[in-house]
Amino acid sequence: MTGKIRVVVAKPGLDGHDRGAKVIARALRDAGMEVIYTGLHQTAEQIVETAIQEDADVVGLSVLSGAHMTLVPKVARLLREQGVEDVLVLAGGTIPEEDHEELKREGVLAVFTPGATTTDIVAFIKSSVAGAAA
Amino acid sequence: MDEDRQKPRDKDQWLPAATAAGTVRDADFTTVSSAEVEALYRPSDLAGHDYDRDLGDPGDYPYTRGIHPMMYRGRLWTMRQFAGFGEAEDTNQRFRFLLEQGQTGLSLALDLPTLMGYDSDDLRSEGEVGRCGVAMDSVLDMERVFEGIPLDRVTTSMTTNAPAAILLAFYLVAAERQGVGFDQVGGTIQNDILKEYIAQNTYIFPPEPSLRLITDIFAFCADHVPRWNTISISGYHIREAGATAVQELAFTLANGFAYVDAGLEVGLDVDVFAPRLSFFFNAHIDLFEEVAKYRAARRIWARHMRERYGAKDQRSWLMRFHTQTAGCSLTAQQPDNNIVRTAIEALASILGGTQSLHTNSLDEVLALPTERAVEIALRTQQVLAYETGVANVVDPLGGSYYVEALTDRMEEEAEEYFRKIDALGGVVAAIDKSFFQKEIAEASFRYQMQVERGDKVVVGVNKFATGGPPRVETLRIDPALEARQVERLRELRVGRDQAAADKALSDLLAACTGGENVMPVLLDCARAFCTLGEMVATMKTVFGVYRETPVF
């Protein structure tokens, strides 16, 4: 692995809760990663376009609106359709436990819920990106 | 008895003596906002205090002790649980349940497409219909939400900002269709757009036209809907976004003053609209800091309204406020503990003299609340109101050396923020410069790091954790409702008099372009069954849309 890990932190849909996304974005930046924060109210198409343009290693999707079962799989699907297979997709927010399995089947590598620490997320991204590159 | 112990000492002597007398735990002794507090407060901390000038009796200027002489002996706070999800029928059922359980006011939660100005069949609404609240596409949805609930008998609070004027129009026309006159309805629209740019992010139009919509509402309601609270100037979301207690206090009041300025700029008399301004604060977990915050807020508002704005009507000086317990203080881990947190936060708001209160449900960190969780939350308020005796005495913490000293300090720190905001050119200019957004992001990140280091303890999360997934039933929203709502919308469009709808929308366009008050034309749009999305799209063509500058 050479160079900085590139992470797109994105807020899909109409949800305005950006406290978590901003904290994560800053923590990843402080951990030496290159962070591209999309800002709010992004469509799945916009997020995928950003991920491709920015040559992202990781796309982190933050959803606290309850719409995660529509928005998150859509991003994962569009990435696959665009032939982008090597981007790791993570999800975070108020996502009930019972939805985690289905999100993982749709291509989400991990789901982080309230109480997750930035330390754990940083460590997870570092080891996953290293694993994917190996 | 030891001679020395009877002698009065000043604080400089007390602290070293007390520290020497016992060991001090290795722990963080700051408030949840990281404000330094001392181990003890004494009369010297209130040196120069003047009871009449700084406190006053409840009901007297500057209202530090409360806005009514008898406070809760006269009337308890309104127990107002925020509710709304799924289709109109689901919300109607939840409202009826809450009223049957003794709730005294309604509070309507709208879904994100509605808050952002999209109809349920818009592409941008996919997956979001009925999730965070109820879907509200037209006056017919409003009518269904209040089916069997006479609108002259309840008061309703609606959490809506960017499209607030449209939701108010839906509500008024729904009342009209029930045979209830505008002068008989009472309630509140949040209508606080400035904090949307600062924290909550459900904005549509840029600040300038948004402020114009707000002053149109002030003017219209002053003439036609006298019992309506035209704005609920909200610190809640600012706090939830990570702000400290002082930031919540200062930014909210700064926004309040900006609305007063906006009203004055369009030529309204301050005493015509100021009595209908209301506020909405968070109740976080640090009990005394919260009580001091509410007391300082009342005093600051009264002083500025009387001294700076020259308001003559006493009602213009009074800060009336709603409170909601802090969602951000709740934990997904060991969710039952959230009942305890919420009870203490609710207590803070009562000790601080709130006019109405929403208590969060234990499961709200996971999903919208189940009926059982909502019932516990409401019972929490009822236990506080009827069993604990806290409602018997007005401002029971008044005169506490600590609470008074903290109230004074928070007022001073808020004044410092007002000076900074003025120096930046006012609230709108400070938003453009991302001043608030940066301040909040900074505070929120600092707190997160304190939690991760263990400096700030969150029980069940970074201490006394038990692991394992939370054991709690959550509310599931039926995924099929989106299609049903879309179908209903299609029927509405097919069934209405299209020429009348088109005419109403073209009148709206003309009103937005010209300077006339938009409320009468919005009422006509609602009567003609125009949808919310159609009205917002029309307004966007004149007003444009707002884009944030993301900072982290």
Side-chain angles (χ1 to χ4, degrees):
Chain A
M1 184 75 211
T2 54
K4 287 182 170 184
I5 297 174
R6 299 178 64 79
V7 186
V8 169
V9 175
K11 286 289 303 175
L14 304 176
D15 176 25
H17 295 89
D18 58 0
R19 178 175 179 169
K22 286 178 168 181
V23 165
I24 299 290
R26 174 144 169 208
L28 299 182
R29 188 179 64 194
D30 289 355
M33 300 180 199
E34 187 69 41
V35 178
I36 301 96
Y37 173 49
T38 62
L40 295 160
H41 309 145
Q42 300 288 301
T43 62
E45 289 80 1
Q46 288 170 323
I47 293 167
V48 168
E49 197 187 313
T50 305
I52 293 169
Q53 275 179 2
E54 295 290 345
D55 192 22
D57 301 299
V58 180
V59 175
L61 301 168
S62 163
V63 190
L64 290 90
S65 63
H68 50 271
M69 295 311 283
T70 306
L71 299 168
V72 175
K74 193 168 176 188
V75 172
R77 208 159 43 237
L78 283 173
L79 279 170
R80 278 197 302 275
E81 283 170 22
Q82 298 282 319
V84 187
E85 305 283 352
D86 54 345
V87 178
L88 308 178
V89 180
L90 309 180
T94 47
I95 302 176
E97 187 77 23
E98 55 264 39
D99 293 339
H100 293 194
E101 272 317 301
E102 194 176 333
L103 287 176
K104 285 176 185 169
R105 275 198 300 278
E106 295 278 358
V108 174
L109 185 63
V111 181
F112 294 95
T113 52
T117 65
T118 59
T119 318
D120 289 348
I121 295 169
V122 166
F124 182 87
I125 290 178
K126 282 185 174 168
S127 73
S128 304
V129 171
Chain B
M1 198 179 226
D2 183 348
E3 272 292 298
D4 188 47
R5 296 190 93 181
Q6 293 176 344
K7 266 196 287 179
R9 283 168 298 197
D10 70 20
K11 202 160 181 176
D12 295 342
Q13 294 168 315
W14 173 83
L15 189 62
T19 311
T23 52
V24 174
R25 278 185 299 125
D26 177 22
D28 174 280
F29 294 112
T30 63
T31 68
V32 73
S33 305
S34 292
E36 297 285 344
V37 288
E38 299 180 40
L40 180 78
Y41 287 81
R42 302 169 84 247
S44 58
D45 290 297
L46 303 184
H49 234 251
D50 180 288
Y51 183 84
D52 292 324
R53 185 196 61 211
D54 299 318
L55 302 179
D57 285 330
D60 287 343
Y61 183 87
Y63 309 101
T64 312
R65 308 204 66 188
I67 59 168
H68 300 299
M70 293 294 269
M71 283 303 290
Y72 303 133
R73 282 202 183 198
R75 186 165 170 270
L76 283 169
W77 63 91
T78 303
M79 300 179 191
R80 194 188 293 279
Q81 298 294 91
F82 188 42
F85 60 96
E87 293 169 275
E89 285 76 13
D90 300 318
T91 302
N92 178 259
Q93 202 182 352
R94 180 64 65 87
F95 276 177
R96 288 172 182 234
F97 170 79
L98 286 165
L99 291 169
E100 281 160 20
Q101 302 305 312
Q103 175 163 304
T104 48
L106 298 173
S107 178
L108 182 62
L110 298 159
D111 70 358
L112 272 170
T114 305
L115 297 175
M116 294 297 292
Y118 297 108
D119 284 335
S120 295
D121 58 356
D122 194 288
L123 271 181
R124 294 294 319 248
S125 304
E126 193 188 356
E128 317 238 27
V129 176
R131 292 270 164 192
C132 285
V134 64
M136 188 72 62
D137 292 314
S138 76
V139 68
L140 295 181
D141 290 328
M142 188 69 86
E143 216 169 32
R144 285 159 56 229
V145 164
F146 291 98
E147 178 82 48
I149 303 172
L151 293 181
D152 52 349
R153 306 277 284 280
V154 293
T155 60
T156 304
S157 172
M158 288 191 282
T159 298
T160 170
N161 295 281
I166 296 171
L167 274 301
L168 176 59
F170 284 165
Y171 191 82
L172 291 174
V173 174
E176 186 176 85
R177 288 161 65 95
Q178 278 190 1
V180 173
F182 292 178
D183 57 342
Q184 292 168 277
V185 300
T188 306
I189 36 174
Q190 197 164 79
N191 199 27
D192 169 14
I193 198 68
L194 292 172
K195 66 92 174 56
E196 297 298 328
Y197 307 118
I198 292 174
Q200 168 146 286
N201 302 317
T202 51
Y203 39 70
I204 300 175
F205 317 115
E208 200 185 322
S210 296
L211 284 169
R212 177 237 167 137
L213 289 173
I214 290 170
T215 51
D216 280 359
I217 292 169
F218 287 175
F220 181 83
C221 289
D223 291 341
H224 303 285
V225 202
R227 292 175 55 214
W228 201 267
N229 296 310
T230 51
I231 193 165
S232 172
I233 306 158
S234 305
Y236 186 80
H237 322 84
I238 292 174
R239 191 69 180 277
E240 289 290 300
T244 65
V246 167
Q247 288 171 340
E248 178 194 358
L249 172 68
F251 299 171
T252 308
L253 271 81
N255 288 347
F257 301 139
Y259 294 121
V260 173
D261 291 332
L264 295 175
E265 268 164 39
V266 297
L268 297 172
D269 178 337
V270 68
D271 286 320
V272 166
F273 66 92
R276 298 317 297 173
L277 306 181
S278 64
F279 286 80
F280 172 23
F281 289 108
N282 200 296
H284 214 296
I285 194 75
D286 197 306
L287 187 135
F288 295 107
E289 183 174 55
E290 294 303 281
V291 174
K293 179 185 75 184
Y294 307 123
R295 300 172 84 251
R298 272 193 297 270
R299 187 160 73 200
I300 295 169
W301 185 250
R303 284 180 171 165
H304 281 253
M305 291 310 287
R306 188 162 107 168
E307 289 160 26
R308 184 166 132 208
Y309 291 105
K312 301 272 184 293
D313 188 335
Q314 189 184 322
R315 294 173 308 151
S316 301
W317 309 337
L318 296 182
M319 167 180 279
R320 296 168 299 128
F321 67 94
H322 173 69
T323 305
Q324 179 170 340
T325 56
C328 63
S329 72
L330 304 186
T331 63
Q333 296 72 18
Q334 305 176 19
D336 290 346
N337 300 346
N338 293 333
I339 299 172
V340 181
R341 294 189 178 98
T342 297
I344 289 163
E345 293 164 358
L347 176 63
S349 76
I350 295 159
L351 296 174
T354 194
Q355 274 60 61
S356 63
L357 176 61
H358 167 103
T359 33
N360 287 328
S361 300
L362 69 106
D363 54 356
E364 284 188 71
V365 67
L366 303 161
L368 291 192
T370 61
E371 200 158 273
R372 179 182 167 272
V374 170
E375 187 178 335
I376 295 170
L378 178 60
R379 298 285 179 243
T380 303
Q381 293 198 39
Q382 291 164 340
V383 168
L384 284 164
Y386 297 104
E387 294 183 15
T388 63
V390 294
N392 291 343
V393 177
V394 181
D395 188 32
L397 293 176
S400 148
Y401 301 122
Y402 175 34
V403 171
E404 295 299 355
L406 201 51
T407 304
D408 292 353
R409 191 174 79 190
M410 291 177 85
E411 180 180 15
E412 282 161 27
E413 291 175 357
E415 290 288 347
E416 234 166 85
Y417 265 123
F418 300 152
R419 284 190 289 274
K420 265 188 211 164
I421 295 162
D422 282 345
L424 290 168
V427 169
V428 173
I431 289 168
D432 282 343
K433 293 173 179 141
S434 299
F435 170 72
F436 304 106
Q437 299 92 315
K438 281 182 197 156
E439 287 277 313
I440 295 169
E442 195 61 43
S444 133
F445 191 73
R446 185 174 62 226
Y447 178 75
Q448 177 67 26
M449 292 303 112
Q450 288 170 330
V451 170
E452 294 198 12
R453 283 195 306 267
D455 296 345
K456 290 287 178 206
V457 172
V458 183
V459 171
V461 175
N462 65 359
K463 204 164 189 157
F464 316 112
T466 44
R471 296 150 304 172
V472 63
E473 283 278 307
T474 55
L475 182 81
R476 304 297 292 181
I477 305 288
D478 177 7
L481 84 88
E482 189 160 313
R484 288 197 298 272
Q485 185 68 17
V486 167
E487 174 55 22
R488 215 175 270 123
L489 190 53
R490 198 193 59 80
E491 285 167 13
L492 171 108
R493 289 208 174 96
V494 170
R496 71 184 172 186
D497 175 349
Q498 191 56 42
D502 291 343
K503 163 82 170 55
L505 288 172
S506 84
D507 289 348
L508 174 60
L509 187 70
C512 291
T513 312
E516 67 174 288
N517 195 311
V518 293
M519 277 311 299
V521 285
L522 287 174
L523 288 166
D524 285 339
C525 287
R527 291 181 185 116
F529 305 107
C530 298
T531 66
L532 174 120
E534 291 164 347
M535 290 186 240
V536 169
T538 302
M539 293 160 89
K540 275 181 184 170
T541 62
V542 181
F543 296 156
V545 293
Y546 179 78
R547 301 247 179 263
E548 66 158 349
T549 313
V551 288
F552 63 90

